[in-house]
Amino acid sequence: LSPFYGEDFYCEIPRTFRHLSFYIFDRDVFRRDSIIGKVAIQKEDLQKYHNRDTWFQLQHVDADSEVQGKVHLELRLSEVITDTGVVCHKLATRVLECQGLPIVNGQCDPYATVTLAGPSRQSEAKKTKVKKKTNNPHFDEVFYFEVTRPSSYNKKSHFDIEDVDEVDKMEIRVDLWNASNLKFGDEFLGELRLPLKFLRQSSSYEAWYFLQPRDNGNKSLKPDDLGSLRLNVVYTEDHVFSSDYYSPLRDVLLKSADVEPVSASAAHILGEVCREKQEAAIPLVRLFLHYGRIVPFISAIASAEVKRTQDPNTIFRGNSLTSKCIDETMKLAGMHYLQVTLKPIIDEICQVHKPCEIDPVKLKDGENLENNRENLRQYVDRIFTVITKSGVSCPTVMCDIFFSLRESAAKRFQGDPDVRYTAVSSFIFLRFFAPAILSPNLFQLTPHHPDPQTSRTLTLISKTIQTLGSLSKSKSANFKESYMATFYDYFNEQKYADAVKNFLDLISSSGRRDHKSIEQPILLKEGFMIKRAQGRKRFGMKNFKKRWFRLTNHEFTYQKSKGDHPLCSIPIENILAVERLEEESFKMKNMFQVIQPERRVLYIQANNCVEAKDWIDILTKVSQCNKKRLTVYHPSAYLNGHWLCCKATADNTRGCTPCTGGLPANIQLDIDGDRETERIYSLFNLYMPKLEKMQEACGSKSVYDGPEEEEYSTFIIDDPKETYKTLKLIIEGVGTLEQEHAQYKRDKFKKTKYGSQEHPIGDKSFQTYIRQQSEISAHSI
């Protein structure tokens, strides 16, 4: 009865809304879940509870209180003189249309009833036609009601005195219903009650209204009998202008990677002033990804962080801006990568429910510890193999980031041979694969939370994979639980460590290589294959020879046998495409071609089709960032004076078939750069006092450069002068945008009509807004 959930939900709300509601259900044996209660927070109250834990009382849920949508009405009160010269008052009610009605049980067949109610009259309900299958019905029907009894015509007053009181007490009621074919009758969708008083000022009135819940229902119930729910709601609202408004601020942000030192850049400053690094990382990463600047930016902040790190064992372990940005990039760019590597096996684990509990204390009756261990070992083995064999599918942007991480780590800690691995594994294993295995629902690998048994299996797998990937020396000592240490002995073999290193080498070797790079060439693959002579000598035979091939992240070479001097070396940047070769070319299977500049092609035959695919994948992977990569190629060879595929005679003819490209090099993300810039502006605006304090700190540092004052030591300021310049630009950019927002609000306020389709009557947040705006305008006058 006192569950703890501890779960986060992140939703985009692109439309207007009135309530944020949470429902508590009781899961029933027959899966007919019964509802216990709800918490509904009005939109205008969200700011009150923003980002703080609050307990809310659960309310009863009844159909009468669940209301959404709005209705468009026109009312006209008119005097009619009858044939006998007597006056009576008629009310015409026109129900025009509704919008945004709820969909009940998958459909909505709405109709409206209109009633004129008063203390001394029998109310009669008039009904519109039912509109089928729509939650935005157009009715456009008019209903007439007699308001007052005919009386002798009297010029002085429209109404007799008693009738005036009568009219004041009357109200028109519009109810919306969903025509249901169930035996319980029709469902109530919302109502509207309007007193006729206000028609005495003007005889006709037309407006949009929000539908309201029924008044009855919750009065009799004691509020404290359902329990309560603890929530922490973070609600932000961004009003996004068109692109040109953001240019000044966006330019300052996008230059961040080039600012020396990087701690003086706008993006780094945002990380310094935000309360949580995460809130800065999310919009920054999206913005830099959108403009293709993420790799230089992360390289710059990572390299600055490595310089500040004293101990190679703590590299990238804190929750710094760098680690949050890399996490966020992996989440966005690596979604597809996770789907292809982990999803099939995680689906199987969730469906098959093999027992994998290896803690003797938690074993269920009838379970065998040895069998469970074996089940778990097989799962770990399979997941480990899938991961370590997936290097060629790792998205380019992630590989480029890992390359820069290992470079800065290896430069900084030259005495530690393993740091180039731990710098990368601390992200790809600890912060990407292990969490995705542990909580597959957070990475969109499963739609829901796994059940407790599956969850426990995934926890055990995740722990083991994390330790395997961390490459630490004394593995078994890592585990607090002795049963985990015993289980881990299965994997304490050199082949596992080698597989991890090969995988890390592959994903952190980049085609965009910097020649000043200090790294040793990394061997990615080697083995015997058969190659066709390239015909370098004028009269040389173009025959086939067996050669030992080696691929490193610098070059692709072959030699007579292992350990000999290379006969030929192709730098990685000279590989323009790697494609299969059609069998008919040389009547040989499993052939592929490595295309180089000046249309030179190396034809190679692998031992079998699996081997051929591996070589093609890995060669494509290391060369996929080359600037001159080809878009078309010839799938067959050039023999006897023509290309076998397209019959063209010139050997330098453009290719006739599009290149396969091998892999999704860049995953296209749906990101709106202006929206992210607006989010960053909002954050800068929110933390303006901190920005100003940082400016003061720059001033005091550059003047005295003596011991830092206590209150300023919270910021990283390496170069007060540069930081001050950037801060000045940020504060100006934020100030300009703030004025634009204020002006926009003032203009909107002037144009806004209460009761219009955008701002129906009954919109509390709008009433508050009107109050604020009238105070502001009075104040500015």
Side-chain angles (χ1 to χ4, degrees):
L1 290 178
S2 305
F4 177 80
Y5 296 111
E7 288 183 48
D8 292 358
F9 294 92
Y10 176 79
C11 357
E12 294 278 321
I13 314 170
R15 55 178 193 283
T16 52
F17 69 101
R18 290 164 67 190
H19 292 93
L20 171 66
S21 304
F22 299 81
Y23 296 85
I24 303 288
F25 288 90
D26 177 25
R27 162 54 66 80
D28 201 15
V29 190
F30 303 111
R31 294 295 168 97
R32 285 287 311 209
D33 302 342
S34 47
I35 196 157
I36 298 174
K38 69 161 185 181
V39 168
I41 309 170
Q42 288 190 331
K43 178 184 177 175
E44 46 277 10
D45 294 341
L46 284 173
Q47 263 335 94
K48 263 195 266 182
Y49 307 114
H50 176 74
N51 208 359
R52 33 179 254 252
D53 280 12
T54 314
W55 283 98
F56 293 91
Q57 286 290 335
L58 288 183
Q59 304 296 326
H60 280 272
V61 174
D62 56 351
D64 290 356
S65 67
E66 296 295 285
V67 166
Q68 64 185 64
K70 50 191 176 186
V71 59
H72 189 186
L73 287 188
E74 192 179 340
L75 302 175
R76 191 181 295 273
L77 190 62
S78 44
E79 292 182 350
V80 182
I81 305 177
T82 58
D83 302 343
T84 53
V86 191
V87 158
C88 69
H89 294 88
K90 277 197 159 57
L91 172 71
T93 305
R94 184 169 173 210
V95 183
L96 288 144
E97 59 177 321
C98 293
Q99 269 186 353
L101 295 177
I103 289 175
V104 187
N105 300 329
Q107 63 170 42
C108 188
D109 299 337
Y111 68 88
T113 59
V114 185
T115 320
L116 180 66
S120 61
R121 53 187 303 143
Q122 285 294 309
S123 52
E124 44 171 335
K126 303 190 176 185
K127 188 174 155 187
T128 64
K129 293 190 181 71
V130 174
K131 298 289 177 187
K132 288 280 186 193
K133 294 196 172 57
T134 172
N135 57 345
N136 300 320
H138 280 264
F139 296 112
D140 204 359
E141 294 187 39
V142 186
F143 301 101
Y144 295 97
F145 295 94
E146 279 198 1
V147 178
T148 54
R149 295 181 302 284
S151 63
S152 53
Y153 187 54
N154 169 355
K155 276 221 163 81
K156 277 185 240 152
S157 152
H158 286 318
F159 301 116
D160 282 357
I161 293 305
E162 62 188 272
D163 287 345
V164 173
D165 290 349
E166 185 90 347
V167 170
D168 277 0
K169 288 175 188 156
M170 282 186 193
E171 61 175 14
I172 189 88
R173 227 178 87 189
V174 179
D175 290 87
L176 271 128
W177 300 85
N178 179 32
S180 157
N181 44 17
L182 300 170
K183 52 181 178 290
F184 309 120
D186 299 345
E187 284 118 345
F188 170 77
L189 299 179
E191 70 170 16
L192 177 63
R193 296 173 171 223
L194 295 173
L196 288 195
K197 266 199 270 213
F198 70 90
L199 281 175
R200 281 175 36 207
Q201 280 88 35
S202 69
S203 58
S204 106
Y205 200 83
E206 176 255 343
W208 282 85
Y209 298 86
F210 271 132
L211 287 170
Q212 302 297 342
R214 274 191 193 152
D215 288 341
N216 60 2
N218 296 353
K219 298 289 181 282
S220 59
L221 299 161
K222 289 205 289 295
D224 56 0
D225 52 4
L226 292 177
S228 48
L229 177 66
R230 177 172 145 220
L231 299 170
N232 185 343
V233 180
V234 177
Y235 173 60
T236 52
E237 187 172 278
D238 292 324
H239 299 270
V240 187
F241 286 125
S242 56
S243 233
D244 42 338
Y245 283 88
Y246 295 109
S247 296
L249 185 59
R250 187 174 49 225
D251 295 346
V252 178
L253 286 160
L254 291 176
K255 285 197 193 99
S256 293
D258 312 319
V259 174
E260 286 285 330
V262 73
S263 60
S265 69
H268 193 279
I269 289 172
L270 181 66
E272 284 295 288
V273 296
C274 280
R275 204 177 72 176
E276 299 281 336
K277 299 277 186 240
Q278 183 77 2
E279 50 179 357
I282 293 174
L284 283 174
V285 163
R286 297 174 76 95
L287 182 75
F288 284 113
L289 267 171
H290 181 67
Y291 288 101
R293 302 279 297 142
I294 191 75
V295 177
F297 167 63
I298 286 184
S299 305
I301 55 174
S303 145
E305 183 176 326
V306 171
K307 279 182 191 141
R308 286 196 289 271
T309 308
Q310 296 309 314
D311 175 0
N313 295 317
T314 62
I315 198 163
F316 300 127
R317 284 299 157 90
N319 278 332
S320 59
L321 182 65
T322 310
S323 50
K324 288 292 181 200
C325 283
I326 297 176
D327 284 357
E328 202 52 39
T329 308
M330 293 193 301
K331 240 184 181 167
L332 286 169
M335 244 349 144
H336 176 74
Y337 178 35
L338 281 179
Q339 298 282 335
V340 291
T341 43
L342 294 182
K343 189 168 170 43
I345 188 161
I346 285 188
D347 284 346
E348 184 189 321
I349 294 170
C350 292
Q351 283 154 14
V352 179
H353 291 297
K354 277 188 188 168
C356 294
E357 183 53 76
I358 55 170
D359 180 355
V361 183
K362 292 186 177 169
L363 271 192
K364 291 186 185 149
D365 293 346
E367 281 186 359
N368 177 324
L369 187 60
E370 276 314 305
N371 291 356
N372 288 8
R373 256 195 209 140
E374 183 51 28
N375 289 344
L376 185 62
R377 193 187 66 75
Q378 284 179 3
Y379 277 150
V380 170
D381 234 343
R382 281 174 58 195
I383 285 190
F384 178 78
T385 311
V386 173
I387 291 175
T388 49
K389 287 264 189 300
S390 71
V392 289
S393 318
C394 184
T396 319
V397 67
M398 284 166 65
C399 295
D400 288 344
I401 288 171
F402 296 148
F403 172 69
S404 70
L405 294 182
R406 75 178 282 155
E407 281 283 274
S408 4
K411 252 184 210 142
R412 172 83 171 83
F413 300 106
Q414 294 187 11
D416 186 335
D418 279 342
V419 75
R420 62 184 213 188
Y421 294 117
T422 49
V424 177
S425 74
S426 63
F427 285 103
I428 192 82
F429 280 103
L430 269 67
R431 304 173 87 119
F432 186 63
F433 283 122
I437 296 167
L438 187 65
S439 315
N441 54 307
L442 297 182
F443 290 81
Q444 281 141 43
L445 293 172
T446 55
H448 306 294
H449 257 285
D451 58 84
Q453 185 191 331
T454 310
S455 199
R456 173 70 179 155
T457 303
L458 293 173
T459 305
L460 295 168
I461 297 172
S462 177
K463 275 183 171 184
T464 318
I465 291 289
Q466 193 169 327
T467 310
L468 274 168
S470 68
L471 289 171
S472 55
K473 310 285 183 288
S474 55
K475 294 298 175 63
S476 304
N478 280 5
F479 294 107
K480 292 193 279 289
E481 311 94 337
S482 55
Y483 61 86
M484 278 306 289
T486 325
F487 174 67
Y488 196 80
D489 289 341
Y490 286 126
F491 303 98
N492 231 337
E493 293 175 39
Q494 192 53 39
K495 65 171 187 181
Y496 288 101
D498 292 345
V500 170
K501 285 187 172 174
N502 287 341
F503 169 66
L504 295 174
D505 279 337
L506 179 55
I507 62 170
S508 61
S509 61
S510 169
R512 304 197 179 122
R513 212 173 62 259
D514 168 12
H515 289 292
K516 303 190 292 296
S517 140
I518 65 151
E519 67 169 340
Q520 292 299 305
I522 299 158
L523 178 66
L524 299 173
K525 190 169 174 62
E526 58 181 351
F528 274 116
M529 289 190 289
I530 292 166
K531 66 132 201 120
R532 179 175 186 255
Q534 290 175 287
R536 299 187 167 186
K537 300 182 185 135
R538 202 153 164 211
F539 303 109
M541 295 283 285
K542 293 201 177 180
N543 54 0
F544 286 89
K545 292 184 174 155
K546 190 172 181 181
R547 292 287 180 253
W548 180 259
F549 284 85
R550 288 186 87 224
L551 172 67
T552 70
N553 59 338
H554 290 194
E555 56 185 2
F556 181 43
T557 58
Y558 59 80
Q559 50 231 53
K560 270 198 173 149
S561 54
K562 193 173 179 176
D564 288 0
H565 191 72
L567 299 170
C568 166
S569 157
I570 304 171
I572 293 296
E573 49 268 39
N574 281 357
I575 299 178
L576 306 186
V578 185
E579 297 287 350
R580 292 187 178 283
L581 186 70
E582 285 175 359
E583 213 175 294
E584 74 212 30
S585 300
F586 301 108
K587 305 287 181 281
M588 292 163 71
K589 291 184 184 232
N590 310 322
M591 288 202 71
F592 64 94
Q593 47 180 330
V594 178
I595 307 170
Q596 305 158 61
E598 278 118 44
R599 306 272 166 204
R600 286 190 39 206
V601 186
L602 175 60
Y603 296 120
I604 303 173
Q605 182 188 29
N607 303 324
N608 54 50
C609 57
V610 177
E611 195 66 358
K613 182 181 183 312
D614 281 356
W615 275 104
I616 293 173
D617 281 353
I618 199 160
L619 280 160
T620 305
K621 178 73 188 164
V622 292
S623 63
Q624 73 182 0
C625 298
N626 290 350
K627 294 200 169 52
K628 296 180 182 160
R629 270 191 77 86
L630 295 180
T631 51
V632 287
Y633 77 108
H634 290 286
S636 288
Y638 182 76
L639 292 174
N640 307 330
H642 68 273
W643 289 100
L644 296 180
C645 39
C646 58
K647 306 291 181 274
T649 49
D651 65 349
N652 59 357
T653 312
R654 245 175 85 86
C656 56
T657 308
C659 285
T660 55
L663 307 151
N666 280 326
I667 285 117
Q668 285 306 307
L669 297 164
D670 182 19
I671 293 173
D672 177 345
D674 301 328
R675 208 187 103 167
E676 303 309 327
T677 317
E678 169 62 35
R679 183 87 288 273
I680 292 170
Y681 148 77
S682 302
L683 287 168
F684 273 139
N685 204 11
L686 177 65
Y687 295 113
M688 188 51 83
K690 279 192 176 179
L691 286 173
E692 287 161 353
K693 202 157 191 186
M694 202 169 180
Q695 231 180 359
E696 278 174 40
C698 288
S700 74
K701 265 189 86 118
S702 52
V703 174
Y704 301 111
D705 227 6
E708 286 186 30
E709 288 179 40
E710 249 335 276
E711 56 179 318
Y712 297 144
S713 59
T714 47
F715 304 116
I716 293 176
I717 300 174
D718 296 322
D719 182 335
K721 227 176 186 170
E722 275 303 309
T723 313
Y724 188 87
K725 271 191 216 162
T726 312
L727 280 163
K728 193 162 175 274
L729 289 171
I730 293 172
I731 292 170
E732 276 169 16
V734 169
T736 314
L737 276 169
E738 203 177 356
Q739 285 170 0
E740 293 291 355
H741 276 295
Q743 186 56 48
Y744 176 80
K745 276 186 178 157
R746 285 197 291 273
D747 294 348
K748 190 169 174 227
F749 177 63
K750 282 177 199 155
K751 289 181 200 151
T752 301
K753 176 172 174 263
Y754 191 39
S756 64
Q757 196 169 345
E758 293 78 49
H759 301 287
I761 296 175
D763 178 354
K764 292 207 179 100
S765 58
F766 185 69
Q767 286 164 310
T768 337
Y769 171 69
I770 287 203
R771 264 206 313 281
Q772 288 167 351
Q773 288 304 318
S774 50
E775 282 161 20
I776 292 171
S777 46
H779 180 64
S780 59
I781 291 165

